[in-house]
Amino acid sequence: MTKWLEKPFIYEINTAVWLTDLSFRFDKPITLNNIPNEVIDELADLNIDVIWLMGVWTRSNAVRESALNYMHEYRPVLHDLTEEDVIGSAYAIGGYQVDERLGGREGLAKFRKRIKSHGLMLILDFVPNHVSVDHPIIKERSACMVLGTEEQHNENPGVFFPTEGKNGKTIYVGHGRDPYFPGWIDTAQLNAFSPDYRSAAKHTLLDIASQCDGVRCDMAMLMVNDVFANTWGRFLQNATPPQVDFWKEIIPAVKARHSNFKFIAEVYWNMEYTLLQHGFDMTYDKTLYDRILQADIKHLRDHLLAPLSYQNRQVRFIENHDEPRAASSIGLEKKRAAATLICTVPGAVLLHDGQFSGRRIKLPVQIKRQPFETYNRALAGFYKRLLAETRDPIYQHGTWRLLDLKPAAEFMETHHNLLVYGWQHADQFRLIAINLTGIWSQGIINLGEWMKIFDDRWVLHDALSNTYRFHFHDNDVVADDGLYIELEPYQSMILRFGVTGKSKK
C-alpha cells in the first residue's frame, strides 16, 4: 500500500484545463478514462508523490449561467474566449460526483489505479462551507443551510437569496461568504452548527475517502466555531456554538474508517496552529509565501525557527490556483531561489502545473482552457535538477538545522540577506544557501557540531549547477573561523559534502 511520506511533494492540476490541453495535444477527446500512457509516465517522471486533481466535482447549470455573466473578466486572460470555455466555478460545487465530462467516477478510479502503480497518491477538494445555489441539499435538507427570513433578505439582499424549499415554499438561504467580503453569489452557505449538516459532511467525506488518499479543504478556518459565529451569528436564530468544533467532530469520524487519509487545510489569518489542533494533518503556510514575496529575510528566518513539530506539518508553496503565477509575482530570477527554499525546508511542498515551464497567467477557476505561453526550457531544467535532488532520503529521514551567519568582514552586513541551513542523515550532509534579494551577499557560516564529524579533505558540490564550489584542506580552520559563502543576487545552492582524503595535521 502506498503511504504518505514525511515530506510529500504535491502537484496541483486544474483538471478541466489539463484535459482540454491533452485533447488538443492528442487530437482527440481526452478524459480521465483514456489518458495516454506517456502522460502517466510524464507525471511519474516529475519526482512528485501526490497529485491533486483540482475541480473534479460536478458543476451545475446555475453556476455556469452565473459565470457567463462575467465573461468580460475572463477575456483579458483568454482573448479568444467563447461561451463553451466557461464551465463555472470549481468551488461552487453542484454535487460530489465526479463530473461526467471529465470521466466520471469510473474514470477517476482508473486514473487513481494507474498513478498508484507508479507510487503516486491522489487528493481531491472538499468545500466545507458552501455549495452551489442549486445543489439538491438546499431543497432536500434545508436544515443543513444557513437560513434567514424574508425580512433579513430585504434588509440584506446581498447576504440572502430566495429559493424553493422542500414543500414548494420560498426559503431564504445565505450566500457562502467569509466575514470580510461580500458573499459569493453562485454559492449557498452551509451551517457549521447544524447537526444535520455535520452528518451530511461525514457521509460526503467518507465517500470521497473511498476514492482518493486525502482532501484539500477549502477555506477550512471558516468552520471554526468562533469564526462561523462572527460571520453568521447575528443572522442565526440559534447562534450558540456546539460544544465540539466542526472539524473536531468530522475528522475523527472519517479517520476511524480511513486511518491513512490526510486532511489538508487551506487556512489564513494566522490560524494554522488552530487547525492543526482541530485535527488537520497539514495546513497552508501562507506566512512563508508572503515573506518570500516581500523578501523579508529577517522574518523568514524567524518563521523557520518554529518547532519542527509545527514546520513538518506546513505546506510550502510559491503559487497555486488562488495565487498569481510565481513567474509573474516573484519573477523568473528570484523564483529559482524561492523554489529551492520551499523544496528543501521541512514540511510538505505544493507545486502547480505550469510552474515548471514558467507560465505567467493566472486562470479563473470558471474556464476550461488556457492561452498558449512560451515554454521556458531553462526553468524546466532547473526544476528537474531540483526535484531529482529532493528524492534523496536525506530530506525524508534527515535532521534539519537552521544555521547562523556572521559578517564576512567588518562593516559588511549583507549576511543578513542570506538563509543557510543544512540536512544530516547518517554520514550524508546537505548545505543549502539562498539569496532572495537583488544584492550580492557574503557571510561566514557557523557549521557548529557538524565540523566534529569531518577529519578529511572535503569538497562541496552544487547539485543545482553540477559544479564544485569549494575544496577545503584544513578542517580545523573551518571549525574555528567558519565557512565563507558568497551568493549572487537571487542565487541558491544545494551543496553536497564529498570526502577526498585525509588531511595533514
Side-chain angles (χ1 to χ4, degrees), residues 154-399:
N154 293 335
E155 293 175 353
N156 307 275
V159 176
F160 293 94
F161 68 96
T163 189
E164 183 180 336
K166 190 170 186 178
N167 300 316
K169 182 180 178 182
T170 298
I171 58 175
Y172 298 90
V173 181
H175 282 300
R177 63 189 291 263
D178 77 26
Y180 301 108
F181 294 96
W184 299 291
I185 63 170
D186 54 356
T187 69
Q189 179 68 50
L190 294 157
N191 189 343
F193 293 171
S194 163
D196 199 32
Y197 172 53
R198 292 186 176 202
S199 174
K202 292 174 197 174
H203 178 79
T204 297
L205 279 163
L206 284 169
D207 186 51
I208 293 174
S210 70
Q211 300 176 72
C212 62
D213 303 288
V215 281
R216 177 264 191 191
C217 297
D218 191 68
M219 299 289 281
M221 71 285 181
L222 294 181
M223 306 306 277
V224 173
N225 277 353
D226 291 347
V227 176
F228 190 81
N230 181 49
T231 309
W232 290 105
R234 67 190 180 96
F235 296 111
L236 297 176
Q237 293 181 353
N238 180 10
T240 303
Q243 189 173 8
V244 179
D245 253 284
F246 181 84
W247 294 114
K248 289 182 178 180
E249 179 178 337
I250 301 299
I251 293 176
V254 177
K255 284 183 172 283
R257 297 266 297 274
H258 301 273
S259 59
N260 197 42
F261 192 75
K262 299 296 184 186
F263 281 82
I264 303 170
E266 179 198 20
V267 54
Y268 305 106
W269 314 333
N270 295 316
M271 290 187 65
E272 294 89 348
Y273 182 73
T274 298
L275 271 293
L276 291 175
Q277 296 301 107
H278 284 216
F280 277 90
D281 298 285
M282 292 172 266
T283 59
Y284 270 34
D285 191 352
K286 182 66 160 50
T287 299
L288 188 83
Y289 171 76
D290 289 339
R291 291 175 180 174
I292 289 173
L293 285 183
Q294 298 156 9
D296 186 346
I297 308 305
K298 179 184 183 303
H299 288 102
L300 266 172
R301 183 177 176 82
D302 291 344
H303 189 58
L304 293 173
L305 288 171
L308 285 174
S309 59
Y310 174 80
Q311 292 203 57
N312 287 334
R313 298 171 69 185
Q314 296 301 291
V315 179
R316 323 288 196 170
F317 59 89
I318 54 173
E319 69 170 72
N320 57 59
H321 71 270
D322 286 314
E323 307 293 351
R325 288 287 190 177
S328 175
S329 62
I330 297 176
L332 286 175
E333 284 187 303
K334 182 178 172 182
K335 178 180 176 179
R336 288 176 171 83
T340 302
L341 177 65
I342 65 166
C343 289
T344 58
V345 293
V349 183
L350 174 58
L351 303 162
H352 190 199
D353 190 33
Q355 181 175 335
F356 301 170
S357 62
R359 280 193 170 272
R360 293 178 175 272
I361 297 174
K362 178 181 181 294
L363 287 183
V365 294
Q366 292 87 355
I367 64 177
K368 69 174 184 179
R369 184 165 61 91
Q370 62 186 347
F372 170 81
E373 294 190 59
T374 302
Y375 188 92
N376 189 321
R377 294 189 180 279
L379 182 64
F382 164 81
Y383 270 105
K384 185 174 183 178
R385 293 190 298 275
L386 175 61
L387 295 181
E389 162 64 20
T390 58
R391 291 295 87 189
D392 192 284
I394 197 170
Y395 298 100
Q396 296 294 337
H397 309 298
T399 300

Side-chain angles (χ1 to χ4, degrees), residues 90-93 96 125-131 190 197 216-218:
Y91 290 94
I93 291 172
Y96 281 97
D125 293 294
F126 177 63
V127 184
N129 68 303
H130 61 249
V131 291
L190 294 157
Y197 172 53
R216 177 264 191 191
C217 297
D218 191 68

